[in-house]
Amino acid sequence: MDELRQSVHDLENERDTHKQVAKLQEIGRKLLTEYVIKFKNIVIEPLRVEAYYYPYNDTSKFDDPCAHPSSTKVNNFGHLYFIEEKYGYPGVDLCLSLGDYYLSFLIKNSRIDGKLFKQMDLYEKFQGDWKEIQKDDVLHRIENNNKIVLYTSRVGLKEARTKFFHEKLAAVTEIDNQYDWEKGFGKLRTIASYLVENEIEETDENIRAILHSRSNEVKKYCEEIRKNKEKN
């Protein structure tokens, strides 16, 4: 837990956008590989999370106003927050704020006792007990599961609302599950980005290790991503 808190402190002190995005990705990876959410006799495995960080007292630091605003989420670390339907699309946030700012990771996909849950499903399962659940410290450290974690765009945001619309602020694992994807950031492109960014050759074996099948489409995306990088 100390390492996760340190990552949050590092984020607090960072003003470089690229490093902030990298730090948010790092925190997302830790949540998917080193932690589960636990309360009562329930264990939730996060499989896909979206980062929402907004230092509202200094918006020039990281101006991403997409975080659901609530004073309950401020200086709140390790607790869940339920976004009620009256405020928009319902969901469950994991709060990681250690100061006067919003920092939470929306649980887009998860697993409980072998069953997969989407954002709305998870909210509906526990909405009757949300007031009690929000009081619990739910983050529990586990042995690193060494899952492959990929990064992609958050889903369902309006491009006009945030300059971070295209940033890869969603962390996802077990990519062969049935997830929803933002247009232009599909599963195969996400895999291709992972391979290129990590300088992994797009062989059938390497693609199969992630996708569990061959894909010439992934290879084409890899070529496209490299060409775009060369242009920029």
Side-chain angles (χ1 to χ4, degrees):
M1 192 75 74
D2 287 343
E3 289 181 9
L4 186 60
R5 286 179 179 271
Q6 185 58 54
S7 293
V8 173
H9 283 308
D10 291 343
L11 176 65
E12 290 176 358
N13 296 323
E14 186 57 68
R15 297 193 73 93
D16 179 88
T17 298
H18 295 296
K19 292 179 180 179
Q20 288 169 323
V21 169
K23 185 58 64 175
L24 288 166
Q25 290 177 341
E26 175 190 308
I27 295 170
R29 175 183 55 77
K30 286 179 180 293
L31 293 177
L32 299 187
T33 58
E34 299 178 25
Y35 290 88
V36 295
I37 295 163
K38 190 174 181 181
F39 53 90
K40 298 179 180 178
N41 61 340
I42 303 295
V43 177
I44 302 173
E45 299 174 67
L47 302 175
R48 177 174 176 149
V49 293
E50 293 182 349
Y52 290 90
Y53 173 48
Y54 189 51
Y56 50 82
N57 288 326
D58 184 5
T59 56
S60 64
K61 188 175 182 181
F62 196 84
D63 191 11
D64 183 30
C66 294
H68 172 70
S70 170
S71 58
T72 304
K73 297 168 67 176
V74 175
N75 201 16
N76 181 344
F77 184 93
H79 295 80
L80 295 180
Y81 175 83
F82 283 70
I83 305 170
E84 297 180 81
E85 194 166 4
K86 63 183 178 181
Y87 297 119
Y89 198 74
V92 183
D93 273 344
L94 175 62
C95 301
L96 293 179
S97 172
L98 290 170
D100 292 331
Y101 55 86
Y102 300 126
L103 176 61
S104 60
F105 283 73
L106 177 63
I107 305 170
K108 294 294 289 186
N109 297 88
S110 57
R111 180 167 46 230
I112 304 172
D113 291 332
K115 182 179 178 181
L116 296 176
F117 287 80
K118 291 188 176 183
Q119 175 180 333
M120 177 82 79
D121 301 328
L122 187 67
Y123 173 86
E124 291 179 344
K125 181 173 178 63
F126 298 109
Q127 65 175 345
D129 301 315
W130 69 268
K131 289 183 179 180
E132 289 302 313
I133 294 172
Q134 284 190 174
K135 298 176 184 177
D136 293 342
D137 188 350
V138 298
L139 261 185
H140 286 257
R141 187 84 180 262
I142 60 171
E143 184 176 349
N144 194 318
N145 57 35
N146 293 313
K147 289 180 181 178
I148 293 174
V149 176
L150 303 94
Y151 305 104
T152 186
S153 171
R154 297 172 296 184
V155 176
L157 302 180
K158 294 181 179 179
E159 188 168 2
R161 191 179 179 195
T162 174
K163 65 181 181 180
F164 296 101
F165 177 78
H166 290 300
E167 290 290 352
K168 296 176 182 178
L169 292 174
V172 57
T173 189
E174 299 186 20
I175 199 167
D176 48 336
N177 289 328
Q178 294 298 313
Y179 298 135
D180 296 323
W181 301 92
E182 187 61 47
K183 185 177 180 181
F185 292 86
K187 174 169 67 175
L188 300 184
R189 180 177 285 277
T190 298
I191 293 171
S193 294
Y194 170 82
L195 293 173
V196 173
E197 289 167 6
N198 289 278
E199 299 182 350
I200 300 172
E201 186 179 359
E202 60 269 26
T203 62
D204 289 339
E205 181 180 3
N206 288 336
I207 294 172
R208 192 179 291 113
I210 303 170
L211 187 61
H212 300 142
S213 65
R214 294 176 57 193
S215 175
N216 288 328
E217 195 75 12
V218 170
K219 295 179 181 180
K220 291 178 182 177
Y221 281 135
C222 285
E223 292 178 10
E224 179 184 318
I225 291 167
R226 287 196 188 94
K227 287 179 181 178
N228 289 336
K229 279 192 168 186
E230 290 173 2
K231 290 179 182 178
N232 297 329

